[in-house]
Amino acid sequence: MIEETATAGNSNVSNHEVVADDLQEPLIPNVNDELRVVDGLPFRECVLIKSLFFLDALGSSAWGRFSAIYYNLHGLNSQHIGIIEGLTTAIPTLSMVLWGFVADQFQSRKKVWLVTNSVSTSIQLALVLPYVYSSFARIMYVSIVAQFFVSSGILDAYTLELLGSENKIFYGRYRLYASLSWGIGSIILGWVTDHYGFEPNFIMFGVLGYLLVIIIAIWVPDITSSSNQSRTNEAYVGEEGESGRMKELALLAIRPKVLVFLLEVIIMGAGVATVERLLFLYLVNDLEASNMLCGLTVGVNVLFELPIFWYASKFMELLGHDGMFLLSMTCFVVRVWGYTLLTPSTKWLILLLEIMHGITFACFWIVMTDISKILVHQTKNQYWGTAIPSSVQMLYSAFGVSLGSLVGGWAMNHYGSTKMYQWAASIVFGTLLFHFTGSMASRMFYSGQSFLPNYRTSDEGEEDENL
């Protein structure tokens, strides 16, 4: 039949072309990058979001953990550093929530991000001035003022909104680009700091910070929600009023499972702060390590974060929220207790311990982000799409990290690094036992439910709002 058709038509037309015509498909399909879907998003949006995560974390790596090195270079002790790190992470307890609320209230997520990041980057760069770094008080004031313009969580909220509920599990494949650039930047800057001092860090921080602002200003749209969703939210505002919306948010926060989740987020934030804010001090002052070794520890972290972020859906399916939280806490306890066994002659073994930090952070961050999306889903019309992720990240990176930095810096200065890390490991171990017991009890007495907020539908197909 095919041969007859080919003969009746153009004798030069091959049988394969006729089959393609019959199927109404081209032999070599024209793939339109704008329509091709990669990791849950159209190709161009996929590349854009991954680039934003990469550049954002690469710029942050220039300061990040190296801030302790900067403070140490200018004569501050561990208690002074703990105070600065604590206060600079406490301020975002309010600012992150405030900016998230403003972004939702005025549907101005892009403008909020552009303003806050431009201002905070400019203020942070003042730390390069001799007049500033010659005084502990001036270092502290500049660092604190910069934190009033922190709006972390908006990029995550933007990504989750683009992905939607169906594709939110792909979030890890975007977040891994932040981990990748964080590791690369830390290794490079560790070597650079050893050979050229701290000034190149500020150059990289400023250039990448402003570059990111330019990219977002040009290529990221002002509004990501559909017009229908915006109209729905406007109707919700008129129907419920300001007090009704705030009441809904408060009622969500006091649900038992949500309270457990938020408490554990704070504890893990405090625990991680003893590592991310103070580990470089321990390495340089106690173990006589180079800045290069400090940077390599971050590189090892990232090496084991990447596969977990990439296969987040597989890990979530295998372990669930509870299992990933328990794995995260277990790795934290083993790693941090291991710090206390190191000596200057065995300091390179810290690279083996840092493998577990990659697992700790990746598992914890995936669950924290996924549950944030779940909590947004449980609000009427999903109105708090920015405020909830920003608030959860605030509890972790602002309140929890602030607490860990203040207490950890004080403990390190008065009792030494070994005692401080033993206490941190013990507190997280207690949280691990609490979560394990609660998880077992929840599964035994509540029909296999998770100990943390989760999607679960009733027989009528509506979500159980008590979860």
Side-chain angles (χ1 to χ4, degrees), residues 11-12 23 59 75 104 113 130 205 229 249 251 256 280 291 300 396 404 408:
S11 59
N12 294 326
L23 294 174
D104 284 335
W113 192 95
F205 177 79
Q229 180 66 39
L249 200 58
L251 290 175
F280 281 14
N291 293 316
V300 172
Y396 168 78

mmCIF file of all heavy atoms in Angstrom, residues 11-12 23 59 75 104 113 130 205 229 249 251 256 280 291 300 396 404 408:
data_model
loop_
_atom_site.group_PDB
_atom_site.id
_atom_site.type_symbol
_atom_site.label_atom_id
_atom_site.label_comp_id
_atom_site.label_asym_id
_atom_site.label_seq_id
_atom_site.Cartn_x
_atom_site.Cartn_y
_atom_site.Cartn_z
ATOM 1 N N SER A 11 7.863 10.015 -7.746
ATOM 2 C CA SER A 11 8.680 8.801 -7.724
ATOM 3 C C SER A 11 9.928 8.972 -6.893
ATOM 4 O O SER A 11 10.556 7.994 -6.497
ATOM 5 C CB SER A 11 9.067 8.412 -9.164
ATOM 6 O OG SER A 11 9.780 9.477 -9.774
ATOM 7 N N ASN A 12 10.308 10.225 -6.625
ATOM 8 C CA ASN A 12 11.508 10.474 -5.819
ATOM 9 C C ASN A 12 11.229 10.444 -4.326
ATOM 10 O O ASN A 12 12.132 10.559 -3.525
ATOM 11 C CB ASN A 12 12.107 11.844 -6.188
ATOM 12 C CG ASN A 12 12.620 11.864 -7.610
ATOM 13 O OD1 ASN A 12 13.113 10.849 -8.107
ATOM 14 N ND2 ASN A 12 12.488 13.023 -8.267
ATOM 15 N N LEU A 23 1.305 9.756 8.868
ATOM 16 C CA LEU A 23 1.210 9.996 10.311
ATOM 17 C C LEU A 23 1.100 11.482 10.630
ATOM 18 O O LEU A 23 0.923 11.860 11.787
ATOM 19 C CB LEU A 23 2.454 9.431 11.024
ATOM 20 C CG LEU A 23 2.606 7.916 10.971
ATOM 21 C CD1 LEU A 23 3.941 7.513 11.578
ATOM 22 C CD2 LEU A 23 1.462 7.234 11.717
ATOM 23 N N GLY A 59 27.458 34.457 44.263
ATOM 24 C CA GLY A 59 27.757 35.726 44.917
ATOM 25 C C GLY A 59 27.759 35.612 46.421
ATOM 26 O O GLY A 59 28.626 36.159 47.110
ATOM 27 N N GLY A 75 40.562 41.013 63.991
ATOM 28 C CA GLY A 75 40.787 40.970 65.426
ATOM 29 C C GLY A 75 39.596 40.667 66.301
ATOM 30 O O GLY A 75 39.679 40.830 67.529
ATOM 31 N N ASP A 104 3.250 39.890 48.573
ATOM 32 C CA ASP A 104 1.924 39.301 48.388
ATOM 33 C C ASP A 104 0.839 40.363 48.378
ATOM 34 O O ASP A 104 -0.101 40.322 47.574
ATOM 35 C CB ASP A 104 1.632 38.278 49.499
ATOM 36 C CG ASP A 104 2.359 36.963 49.292
ATOM 37 O OD1 ASP A 104 2.686 36.653 48.135
ATOM 38 O OD2 ASP A 104 2.617 36.257 50.280
ATOM 39 N N TRP A 113 12.102 42.376 45.387
ATOM 40 C CA TRP A 113 13.405 41.703 45.324
ATOM 41 C C TRP A 113 14.474 42.653 44.796
ATOM 42 O O TRP A 113 15.588 42.713 45.322
ATOM 43 C CB TRP A 113 13.314 40.466 44.440
ATOM 44 C CG TRP A 113 14.512 39.578 44.561
ATOM 45 C CD1 TRP A 113 14.665 38.489 45.369
ATOM 46 C CD2 TRP A 113 15.763 39.734 43.872
ATOM 47 N NE1 TRP A 113 15.919 37.955 45.221
ATOM 48 C CE2 TRP A 113 16.610 38.693 44.305
ATOM 49 C CE3 TRP A 113 16.232 40.641 42.932
ATOM 50 C CZ2 TRP A 113 17.903 38.546 43.828
ATOM 51 C CZ3 TRP A 113 17.533 40.495 42.461
ATOM 52 C CH2 TRP A 113 18.351 39.449 42.905
ATOM 53 N N PRO A 130 38.362 50.822 55.279
ATOM 54 C CA PRO A 130 39.161 50.783 56.513
ATOM 55 C C PRO A 130 38.462 51.449 57.691
ATOM 56 O O PRO A 130 38.590 50.993 58.830
ATOM 57 C CB PRO A 130 40.447 51.515 56.126
ATOM 58 C CG PRO A 130 40.538 51.357 54.651
ATOM 59 C CD PRO A 130 39.125 51.380 54.155
ATOM 60 N N PHE A 205 31.516 39.451 45.257
ATOM 61 C CA PHE A 205 30.203 39.642 45.879
ATOM 62 C C PHE A 205 29.444 40.788 45.214
ATOM 63 O O PHE A 205 28.261 40.667 44.876
ATOM 64 C CB PHE A 205 30.387 39.927 47.377
ATOM 65 C CG PHE A 205 29.108 40.209 48.116
ATOM 66 C CD1 PHE A 205 28.274 39.181 48.514
ATOM 67 C CD2 PHE A 205 28.745 41.516 48.422
ATOM 68 C CE1 PHE A 205 27.092 39.443 49.197
ATOM 69 C CE2 PHE A 205 27.563 41.784 49.102
ATOM 70 C CZ PHE A 205 26.746 40.743 49.491
ATOM 71 N N GLN A 229 -6.037 33.704 38.599
ATOM 72 C CA GLN A 229 -5.649 33.558 40.000
ATOM 73 C C GLN A 229 -5.613 34.912 40.689
ATOM 74 O O GLN A 229 -5.992 35.051 41.848
ATOM 75 C CB GLN A 229 -4.268 32.888 40.100
ATOM 76 C CG GLN A 229 -3.777 32.683 41.525
ATOM 77 C CD GLN A 229 -4.637 31.705 42.279
ATOM 78 O OE1 GLN A 229 -5.090 30.701 41.743
ATOM 79 N NE2 GLN A 229 -4.888 31.996 43.545
ATOM 80 N N LEU A 249 -3.877 32.693 58.570
ATOM 81 C CA LEU A 249 -2.454 32.402 58.683
ATOM 82 C C LEU A 249 -2.099 31.976 60.108
ATOM 83 O O LEU A 249 -1.324 31.037 60.312
ATOM 84 C CB LEU A 249 -1.650 33.638 58.276
ATOM 85 C CG LEU A 249 -0.188 33.439 57.881
ATOM 86 C CD1 LEU A 249 -0.062 32.474 56.710
ATOM 87 C CD2 LEU A 249 0.457 34.772 57.547
ATOM 88 N N LEU A 251 -4.170 30.626 62.377
ATOM 89 C CA LEU A 251 -4.765 29.313 62.659
ATOM 90 C C LEU A 251 -3.956 28.194 62.018
ATOM 91 O O LEU A 251 -3.840 27.099 62.578
ATOM 92 C CB LEU A 251 -6.212 29.279 62.162
ATOM 93 C CG LEU A 251 -7.216 30.131 62.950
ATOM 94 C CD1 LEU A 251 -8.583 30.106 62.271
ATOM 95 C CD2 LEU A 251 -7.332 29.649 64.394
ATOM 96 N N PRO A 256 -1.101 21.442 65.434
ATOM 97 C CA PRO A 256 -0.052 20.677 66.131
ATOM 98 C C PRO A 256 1.099 20.252 65.213
ATOM 99 O O PRO A 256 2.273 20.416 65.567
ATOM 100 C CB PRO A 256 -0.813 19.467 66.684
ATOM 101 C CG PRO A 256 -2.201 19.979 66.883
ATOM 102 C CD PRO A 256 -2.440 20.938 65.754
ATOM 103 N N PHE A 280 34.597 27.528 60.360
ATOM 104 C CA PHE A 280 35.861 28.041 59.827
ATOM 105 C C PHE A 280 36.750 28.583 60.945
ATOM 106 O O PHE A 280 37.980 28.475 60.880
ATOM 107 C CB PHE A 280 35.596 29.135 58.800
ATOM 108 C CG PHE A 280 35.191 28.615 57.438
ATOM 109 C CD1 PHE A 280 34.806 27.294 57.269
ATOM 110 C CD2 PHE A 280 35.196 29.443 56.331
ATOM 111 C CE1 PHE A 280 34.432 26.804 56.032
ATOM 112 C CE2 PHE A 280 34.829 28.967 55.078
ATOM 113 C CZ PHE A 280 34.447 27.646 54.927
ATOM 114 N N ASN A 291 42.805 28.485 54.614
ATOM 115 C CA ASN A 291 41.534 28.887 54.017
ATOM 116 C C ASN A 291 41.141 27.964 52.875
ATOM 117 O O ASN A 291 39.951 27.765 52.603
ATOM 118 C CB ASN A 291 41.624 30.329 53.511
ATOM 119 C CG ASN A 291 41.771 31.328 54.638
ATOM 120 O OD1 ASN A 291 41.092 31.235 55.657
ATOM 121 N ND2 ASN A 291 42.671 32.285 54.462
ATOM 122 N N VAL A 300 33.040 19.559 49.347
ATOM 123 C CA VAL A 300 32.631 18.190 49.663
ATOM 124 C C VAL A 300 31.143 18.157 50.037
ATOM 125 O O VAL A 300 30.418 17.226 49.648
ATOM 126 C CB VAL A 300 33.496 17.621 50.808
ATOM 127 C CG1 VAL A 300 32.961 16.280 51.277
ATOM 128 C CG2 VAL A 300 34.936 17.483 50.351
ATOM 129 N N TYR A 396 14.089 29.416 60.034
ATOM 130 C CA TYR A 396 15.319 28.624 59.910
ATOM 131 C C TYR A 396 16.562 29.507 59.884
ATOM 132 O O TYR A 396 17.426 29.410 60.759
ATOM 133 C CB TYR A 396 15.260 27.776 58.641
ATOM 134 C CG TYR A 396 16.584 27.150 58.271
ATOM 135 C CD1 TYR A 396 17.047 26.022 58.942
ATOM 136 C CD2 TYR A 396 17.391 27.697 57.269
ATOM 137 C CE1 TYR A 396 18.268 25.452 58.615
ATOM 138 C CE2 TYR A 396 18.608 27.137 56.937
ATOM 139 C CZ TYR A 396 19.043 26.013 57.611
ATOM 140 O OH TYR A 396 20.251 25.455 57.299
ATOM 141 N N GLY A 404 21.580 30.015 67.218
ATOM 142 C CA GLY A 404 22.775 29.173 67.204
ATOM 143 C C GLY A 404 24.062 29.977 67.180
ATOM 144 O O GLY A 404 25.058 29.606 67.814
ATOM 145 N N GLY A 408 26.199 29.686 70.308
ATOM 146 C CA GLY A 408 27.401 28.957 69.892
ATOM 147 C C GLY A 408 28.657 29.783 70.050
ATOM 148 O O GLY A 408 29.689 29.287 70.520
#
